[in-house]
Amino acid sequence: MSDKSLLRLLQAPAIILLLLWMLIPLGMTLYFSFIRYVLNSLRRPEWTTPSLSNWRGFGNYEYVMYKSKDFWFAVQNSVFIVGCILILTVVLGLAIAMLINRQFPGRGVVRVLLISPFFVMPAVNAVLWINMILDPVLGLNGLAVESFNQTIKSLHDFPVLGTFFSMWPEFKPVSFRSTQTSAYAVVIMVAWQWTPFAVLIFMTSLQSEDQQQKEAAILDGANKWSQFRNLTLPHLARPIAIVIMIQSIFHLSLYAEIEIVSRGNGNKNLPYLIGEFTSNNIGAASATGIFAVILANIVAIFLLRMVGKSLMD
Amino acid sequence: MAVVTETTKFGKIFWPVLAWIVALTFFFPIFWMVFTSFKTDADSVKPEYLFVFKPTLENYINMTDNYDYWRFALNSLITASFATTFALFVGVPCAYVMAFNPTRRTKDILLWMLSTKMLPAAAVLYPMTFLTKNFLNIFDTHFLIILVLCLINLPIVIWMLFTYFKEIPKEILEAGKMDGANTWGEIKDILLPLAWGGLASTALLCFIFCWNEAYWTVRLTTTDAATLSKLIEGNRAPEGLFFGRLSAVSTAAVGPIVVLGWFCQKQLVQGLTFGAVK
């Protein structure tokens, strides 16, 4: 066997596997998105088997976009959730990375404590937060508000100040089970899990910052803020962009958290909506799936450009 | 290394203390989960036992009865380790060729591999269910979960290996070739011993991702191949009655992985940013 064909052979399994993995399911989704295909139909049993004679053209896409009431809400909600998570993780990540980028006792332990949330499995993350921390009655959220109200109440009998505290309204804990608030709950738990990732990347990058440049800036009398603005931030531009891209890709397909936190309360994103459609209307599920692919690709193109550039050097 | 050294006395005390507070805050939910796992179910919802209580191991002892933990854990272990092994078997030769004998197309292939990772899983949910249930009859089998976990992590594995291999000087391999080593000998005797560290951390990270995967393992299993993700997902709403036992099983599910994760922080950066951040 010649050298060249051997090299091809070594690469082949990985490429063929990934090619099949990408083409077959995606091809089927594309096909299903153009036909009428439902799992159960007493009226039109012919729709329950996929076949070309049930061709619907762009009908599924139209149905999803204009007739199903949840699609635009799901798109909006997907973008909202991803956007909030990105802002939180990047800002917190920057602040924390700057904070721990210094010598102090126990730095190693601090790093270990900080990175831990990233390795918690998503299902546990969601169950832990929604039940034990954010629950308005039994979670720490409920307990904290309750004990705060109790404290205020016990102050009612205080002379003079008591009249002031008796006018204090009784607080109600926020419930994270409604449509809107459960989106916040998802944002909180995912941001908790992914801030460590941002911190880790920013820290790695901070360590390669040009120290001489910084010393020169200090000699020139630059203050801390302008050092950060003019030296550190440009240096971190690429890591920030990468954190944003990678997180967008992961969070656009967020599923476990939504499923656990929001099942049945109306808070849904695109993957969750696809899951709902899949229980019967496969055509609509596939059309929604294609939309999700398009949305992810818009983000992916930017990422590939960035990574592609770094691959050159 | 660009590490800030504080000059003022205030800064020397204030920033480290703040750093510790932030770190402890981030760790608190995990601490709270472990803490609660030592309370009985009854105690775990009583405010008077919030911090002071009689610790008990009963949640851990009863884990098998309550949740059948070990069956799910074994499934997680089997699927994650086999998927990692397969991913390495397929990934190492591919990364070897790409790193040491690149062609004009290598860069495109690498980027294309990355792009498969960006395919939203939900988009192909029904085709996967359809194929595996009605067509191939492998729904809810270990084989299927191993295959899927291997495929979704293969791009990351190849990328990580590629970045590690690229750092090995080509001359070492060429010297081996001079001595009459064939390709297989080159990989086995020269490359693998040199890249041992990179290989280990790739495997570790791949294992962690497999263990934590929560889409396909939930949607493509029912009972036989159900992993820990599926177990926890199935107990999503304990209605407050079982916080103790739920914490125990959650701790057992994430504990080993969090500890493993501590050992591969550096690799995580390289693996997840595809070598673009150094």
Side-chain angles (χ1 to χ4, degrees):
Chain A
M1 204 182 322
S2 78
D3 228 25
K4 220 170 194 172
S5 56
L6 177 68
L7 293 179
R8 280 220 186 109
L9 202 69
L10 286 174
Q11 272 183 305
I15 293 177
I16 291 172
L17 274 175
L18 283 175
L19 205 61
L20 293 178
W21 167 238
M22 195 168 96
L23 288 183
I24 296 178
L26 197 59
M28 287 172 72
T29 298
L30 202 59
Y31 168 51
F32 292 155
S33 75
F34 287 113
I35 59 173
R36 286 185 191 275
Y37 183 16
V38 292
L39 291 181
N40 296 298
S41 174
L42 289 174
R43 209 160 45 87
R44 306 295 294 266
E46 70 271 20
W47 289 353
T48 55
T49 42
S51 105
L52 270 179
S53 56
N54 296 333
W55 190 259
R56 202 186 177 185
F58 283 96
N60 284 321
Y61 293 88
E62 273 167 28
Y63 168 77
V64 165
M65 279 168 74
Y66 301 120
K67 295 216 182 95
S68 73
K69 61 181 186 344
D70 285 334
F71 176 73
W72 290 110
F73 173 70
V75 172
Q76 199 189 328
N77 210 24
S78 297
V79 174
F80 171 76
I81 290 176
V82 174
C84 287
I85 295 170
L86 285 179
I87 294 170
L88 271 175
T89 51
V90 169
V91 172
L92 278 176
L94 269 176
I96 297 174
M98 297 289 289
L99 181 63
I100 58 175
N101 191 37
R102 64 189 73 233
Q103 285 304 346
F104 62 89
R107 184 161 174 255
V109 183
V110 163
R111 276 186 62 146
V112 162
L113 291 179
L114 266 176
I115 191 65
S116 301
F118 189 72
F119 298 107
V120 171
M121 64 169 68
V124 168
N125 177 8
V127 168
L128 171 70
W129 274 88
I130 199 64
N131 289 314
M132 288 168 58
I133 298 175
L134 296 179
D135 191 272
V137 182
L138 299 164
L140 292 176
N141 171 25
L143 295 179
V145 173
E146 177 64 27
S147 72
F148 183 78
N149 284 337
Q150 289 299 330
T151 318
I152 297 292
K153 225 176 221 162
S154 68
L155 289 174
H156 282 189
D157 306 328
F158 229 64
V160 191
L161 274 179
T163 35
F164 170 67
F165 281 113
S166 58
M167 292 190 301
W168 203 290
E170 194 162 306
F171 285 98
K172 281 225 173 78
V174 180
S175 163
F176 285 93
R177 306 266 184 189
S178 75
T179 307
Q180 193 52 49
T181 51
S182 76
Y184 299 147
V186 171
V187 168
I188 294 172
M189 59 185 67
V190 178
W192 172 70
Q193 178 151 44
W194 281 80
T195 302
F197 170 72
V199 171
L200 203 60
I201 286 184
F202 294 154
M203 257 191 52
T204 311
S205 184
L206 277 178
Q207 312 227 313
S208 67
E209 199 182 355
D210 188 353
Q211 207 49 20
Q212 282 176 340
Q213 218 177 19
K214 211 159 199 178
E215 274 158 23
I218 294 171
L219 282 181
D220 287 345
N223 62 14
K224 282 262 160 72
W225 172 246
S226 90
Q227 280 175 46
F228 175 75
R229 261 251 35 190
N230 298 315
L231 291 178
T232 308
L233 217 50
H235 177 75
L236 288 179
R238 193 152 95 171
I240 291 175
I242 285 185
V243 165
I244 290 176
M245 301 294 171
I246 289 172
Q247 287 205 73
S248 332
I249 287 163
F250 272 84
H251 302 331
L252 277 175
S253 48
L254 204 65
Y255 181 79
E257 287 88 348
I258 303 264
E259 159 88 19
I260 290 170
V261 172
S262 327
R263 173 173 265 202
N265 75 3
N267 172 38
K268 47 189 83 169
N269 62 355
L270 274 182
Y272 190 83
L273 186 67
I274 294 171
E276 276 189 349
F277 277 136
T278 302
S279 63
N280 193 27
N281 191 346
I282 304 304
S286 303
T288 316
I290 297 298
F291 280 120
V293 171
I294 293 170
L295 194 61
N297 267 301
I298 296 172
V299 179
I301 288 168
F302 287 105
L303 179 65
L304 288 180
R305 282 238 174 105
M306 303 233 2
V307 176
K309 246 183 229 157
S310 73
L311 199 67
M312 305 262 235
D313 31 76
Chain B
M1 228 170 60
V3 175
V4 178
T5 339
E6 278 308 327
T7 40
T8 59
K9 196 154 190 198
F10 167 78
K12 257 185 193 145
I13 311 259
F14 180 73
W15 296 117
V17 169
L18 189 63
W20 269 97
I21 292 173
V22 169
L24 290 174
T25 313
F26 263 83
F27 194 73
F28 178 76
I30 299 178
F31 162 77
W32 193 247
M33 173 180 78
V34 180
F35 192 68
T36 311
S37 73
F38 295 111
K39 297 179 186 175
T40 61
D41 288 332
D43 286 357
S44 64
V45 291
K46 288 184 191 148
E48 60 267 33
Y49 294 123
L50 198 58
F51 294 108
V52 187
F53 64 99
K54 233 175 96 204
T56 166
L57 281 176
E58 76 174 62
N59 291 321
Y60 288 98
I61 295 164
N62 296 335
M63 211 156 57
T64 319
D65 291 339
N66 292 340
Y67 292 110
D68 206 359
Y69 168 80
W70 290 106
R71 193 169 64 82
F72 291 95
L74 194 64
N75 280 343
S76 274
L77 186 67
I78 292 173
T79 51
S81 23
F82 273 98
T84 306
T85 317
F86 283 139
L88 284 179
F89 259 110
V90 179
V92 167
C94 183
Y96 158 78
V97 175
M98 288 175 164
F100 296 110
N101 299 290
T103 60
R104 268 181 298 120
R105 267 174 300 166
T106 297
K107 197 186 136 204
D108 297 328
I109 297 178
L110 272 168
L111 289 181
W112 165 73
M113 283 182 168
L114 199 56
S115 73
T116 63
K117 184 81 196 144
M118 291 159 195
L119 194 73
V124 293
L125 168 65
Y126 184 72
M128 283 303 286
T129 323
F130 179 83
L131 275 176
T132 55
K133 222 177 202 166
N134 310 348
F135 203 66
L136 301 168
N137 239 333
I138 51 171
F139 190 80
D140 193 23
T141 57
H142 289 97
F143 173 74
L144 171 65
I145 298 303
I146 291 169
L147 187 71
V148 169
L149 288 179
C150 173
L151 285 169
I152 60 176
N153 286 305
L154 195 56
I156 290 189
V157 166
I158 291 178
W159 264 91
M160 279 186 75
L161 290 172
F162 174 75
T163 47
Y164 282 119
F165 288 175
K166 242 184 16 181
E167 278 160 25
I168 296 172
K170 230 177 165 177
E171 291 74 31
I172 299 183
L173 289 193
E174 268 156 18
K177 213 173 240 165
M178 295 284 190
D179 293 344
N182 55 14
T183 310
W184 172 234
E186 221 175 89
I187 295 182
K188 187 173 69 98
D189 296 327
I190 306 170
L191 182 64
L192 291 188
L194 276 177
W196 189 240
L199 213 62
S201 42
T202 308
L204 207 58
L205 204 60
C206 181
F207 184 84
I208 292 176
F209 287 148
C210 290
W211 185 280
N212 286 350
E213 209 282 331
Y215 190 79
W216 293 118
T217 48
V218 170
R219 303 305 300 249
L220 293 182
T221 60
T222 45
T223 49
D224 290 349
T227 63
L228 285 170
S229 282
K230 178 93 175 175
L231 167 68
I232 305 288
E233 199 263 356
N235 291 286
R236 69 171 83 82
E239 308 300 347
L241 298 171
F242 303 122
F243 279 7
R245 58 175 75 172
L246 191 65
S247 302
V249 77
S250 302
T251 306
V254 302
I257 289 304
V258 171
V259 174
L260 269 184
W262 291 342
F263 294 107
C264 57
Q265 300 175 33
K266 280 242 170 65
Q267 290 70 32
L268 183 76
V269 175
Q270 206 171 22
L272 271 179
T273 60
F274 318 106
V277 171
K278 286 193 184 96

